[in-house]
Amino acid sequence: MRKLRKILLSTIFALTVSTTFFANTAGTQTVTAASGTAVTFKRKVIAYRTGSVYNFVPMGNAADNRRALNLLMEGNEKKVININNNVHIDTYLRPGNNTTINAGKHTITSDKGVIINDPTAASYTNFKNLTINGGIWKNSSSSGLAGTMMRISYASNISINNATVYTNYKGHGIELISCSNVVVNNCTLKAQGKCSKTCVEEQLQIDLSSPTTAPGLYRLSKKLCNGTPCKNITVKNCTIQGAHGICANFAGAGNEAKYRKARNYHSNITIENCNVTGISAEAIALFNTKSATVKNCRITTKTPKSRNSYSVGLAVAYQKGSAPKATTKNVISLINNTVKGGQQGIFVRSNASKKLGTVIVSGNTVSAKKGKKNAIKVLSAKKVKIAKNKTKKW
């Protein structure tokens, strides 16, 4: 158990433990337990346990806080960890399956990142059932971490709610690699420090597993980098600002071309009721994504139009390779958004072997710095529906 000892004392402490449970919405419920069983580490109490619920007690030392929290979170049994104080940790927390972390409005400060899992197999079910409710998650540097704060890979049934995640413009607030059934709800992802004019890192990164898109996995095992995409990803009610805001990635050039095939395309990505800003690249870019919905969002790219495609507000693109068969069942739906971009506001295209399926662009207000006629462009789709949009020069 990583040289840690978990001792459950048989003595029931006569004290009142205030436990706050956070639902997957903004609401909260407060429950008072009449007793708790002490859990100790290094002869110090690190939590009071009631059933599967642990109320964490900070230890004062960053490394010991991380070790103690990981001790409480490890394993596959169902458990709820309540963080009821501000906490300093030295590096990543590594929750096990079936873990709920309730952090409320408390700040978790790390000298590196905050959440990571290391998969052992290239399967969506390798890691499952993680819920993070609340918390202000940040690096100890005022300029943020130039890396990934939350990296979740080969995982399913992941829910992140009401969390605020800070990182550097060169980093990622949340990185999802080869994940299925993920909801990011009512979160704020915001970059810190200065953004270079050519930075293209994204605050919410939706990745397939390849050596260039997931170098951390490649270092763990080359077998983990087989091009598995993400599917069934929902981002709603969020505020996101970065060099890129949200990006679904594609594999790189050269030896990575083998991952630009139909089986490596993301599917069923939904972004709704979000405010997304790109400072030096597209606010939202969905590459090699065969089905997606973006609706009721405010999308702004502040990149100068001289940056060409990086200045697009909302981009959907198939990149070079063997794309999925162009079918009307694969739908890109862009509805009721307010979009501001440079070269284009909305730009949909295919540079791959096949056209996109159905593309719907409806009810949007779209502005482009390059002019009204460039506000919306849809190329290379089997079926196109463009209706009831307002276009402007920005």
Side-chain angles (χ1 to χ4, degrees), residues 327-359:
T327 169
T328 55
K329 292 182 180 180
N330 288 339
V331 180
I332 300 297
S333 182
L334 314 176
I335 301 175
N336 297 336
N337 303 289
T338 299
V339 185
K340 294 182 177 181
Q343 182 173 269
Q344 285 90 26
I346 292 176
F347 190 27
V348 182
R349 71 189 187 278
S350 175
N351 296 320
S353 62
K354 296 181 178 67
K355 295 181 177 182
L356 289 88
T358 297
V359 176

Side-chain angles (χ1 to χ4, degrees), residues 219-290:
R219 287 191 292 268
L220 282 177
S221 172
K222 294 180 181 180
K223 294 180 180 180
L224 294 173
C225 289
N226 64 3
T228 300
C230 284
K231 62 180 182 180
N232 305 328
I233 308 296
T234 298
V235 185
K236 57 184 181 180
N237 308 316
C238 292
T239 299
I240 299 173
Q241 177 182 305
H244 263 125
I246 302 173
C247 182
N249 266 339
F250 63 98
N255 293 334
E256 298 266 292
K258 62 185 177 182
Y259 302 120
R260 293 190 188 181
K261 298 184 183 299
R263 64 175 177 269
N264 306 124
Y265 274 54
H266 307 293
S267 58
N268 298 332
I269 295 176
T270 300
I271 304 170
E272 59 180 314
N273 300 319
C274 292
N275 189 341
V276 186
T277 304
I279 301 300
S280 56
E282 304 98 319
I284 298 178
L286 303 179
F287 296 117
N288 288 11
T289 300
K290 62 185 179 181

